Amino acid sequence: MTNVANRLLLIDDEPAICDFIRKVAVSVGFDVEATSSPDEFRESLREFEPNTVLMDLNMPEVDGIELLGILGDERYPGAVLIVSAADSRVLAAAEKSGNAHGLRMLGSLQKPVSLSELRDALKDVCVAQHVTTEEELRQALDLGELVLHFQPKMVRREDDEWLMDGAEALVRWEHPKYGLLMPSEFLPMMEHTGLILELTDYVLRAAVAQIEVWQKRGIEIPVAVNIPADLLIDPGFPDRLFALLKEYGVHSSNLGLEITETGVTEAPELSIDMLARLRLKGIELAIDDFGTGYSSMTRLHHLPFSELKLDRSFIMEIHKDGEAKTMVQAMISLAHNLNMTACAEGVES
């Protein structure tokens, strides 16, 4: 395997496009492998170990949505950039599909792409890429470099005043070399290396400890923590969580758990028992990123969730996209009709 830090795997069936992208990528510091074959693509993922994938959507043997599925199945931790002649709506749909597969999508460029546009995009990728190893991630956990930021959850009262009704715990990495890193820059690697469960334990303890600090100051702020679907098949998880709450003297009603819609869909039937135990103890359960996955309405009906969190990709578009607005209205109506709270993510204005 190459020792070059920035490795780009390109899949496109047009030789001239491949040659053009290769030259631009090499000029900004990438080592490049190119293919048009899905089998070679899979092999290169494992052998070449790219930290960036650049892909077309329209190819004779495989389409880009299938490729995103392959990357998701492989738990690919790097970045993905789309370069395609597809129209803007298809490009947007592909990006959403990649996000639903847990991939780090960097956006899309529409063909014919200009030299300056491609070079700027690849330069941005170079700047964003950090060579992160499992050892570095373990060290970050051991040294307490991973910290929580708390995003407020607001509710509008009948008198039109806004009240802080809770918070969501968001993990950040205070990297000694690169500064503050966002989750998209290390969570995929956490999942790829299997450290995501250790990270979840770390975040849960830090969140519960912060709730205790607030309680001692007379402040009651429920905090929500994201958990991976893998925990839903761990029979010991509820008891460990209840023991943690007891250790810090925190009431279960002050802790909420969020599971992505995709995780809920993939969760086996035995997870219903675990979710029911958590709800019986007063822990609120939310479906996160609702609208980006493919939930079975039957499963949604039977699982004991108390909140739907509407994905920001819809919320940020409602002022200019009538379809997004219609989808948000429908999801809010669904939540309320199921006696669940609806929470809008991505409200920035």
Side-chain angles (χ1 to χ4, degrees), residues 14 51 138-139 170 198 203 252 260 274 280 285 301 304 314 335 337:
E14 298 182 64
N51 53 17
R138 287 191 179 279
Q139 186 177 45
L170 304 174
E198 289 183 42
V203 170
S252 57
T260 63
M274 183 180 298
L280 284 171
L285 300 174
H301 173 62
F314 294 101
N337 287 330

Side-chain angles (χ1 to χ4, degrees), residues 20 33 39 42 78 86 131 160 166 174 187 196 210 225 238 250 253 263 266 277 284 287 305-306 320 334 337:
F20 168 64
E33 278 198 9
D39 290 335
R42 283 183 180 274
V131 180
D160 285 342
E174 290 186 344
L187 282 188
I196 193 67
Q210 183 60 63
V225 174
V250 169
S253 62
E266 295 174 351
R277 287 189 66 197
E284 298 294 326
I287 300 179
F305 283 88
S306 52
K320 60 182 179 181
L334 174 65
N337 287 330

Side-chain angles (χ1 to χ4, degrees), residues 41-105:
F41 180 75
R42 283 183 180 274
E43 183 179 349
S44 291
L45 274 179
R46 299 182 179 122
E47 299 296 328
F48 184 56
E49 296 186 7
N51 53 17
T52 305
V53 167
L54 192 153
M55 54 182 284
D56 190 8
L57 294 181
N58 298 307
M59 286 170 290
E61 289 188 59
V62 63
D63 64 58
I65 304 304
E66 292 177 277
L67 288 175
L68 292 171
I70 290 173
L71 291 171
D73 291 342
E74 295 287 338
R75 293 193 172 187
Y76 172 65
V80 181
L81 180 65
I82 296 171
V83 176
S84 175
D87 67 49
S88 58
R89 290 174 64 86
V90 173
L91 292 176
E95 287 186 51
K96 289 177 181 178
S97 176
N99 289 327
H101 283 292
L103 301 173
R104 181 151 63 97
M105 304 301 295

Side-chain angles (χ1 to χ4, degrees), residues 77 130-147 171-176 178 181-200 202:
H130 305 301
V131 180
T132 302
T133 65
E134 182 175 353
E135 182 180 356
E136 281 185 288
L137 292 170
R138 287 191 179 279
Q139 186 177 45
L141 286 167
D142 293 340
L143 297 179
E145 293 174 357
L146 296 167
V147 298
V171 66
R172 304 286 187 260
W173 184 358
E174 290 186 344
H175 198 287
Y178 300 116
L181 300 184
M182 297 295 105
S184 62
E185 298 182 77
F186 59 88
L187 282 188
M189 183 62 76
M190 286 279 192
E191 293 169 347
H192 185 69
T193 59
L195 286 173
I196 193 67
L197 295 180
E198 289 183 42
L199 174 65
T200 303
Y202 179 98

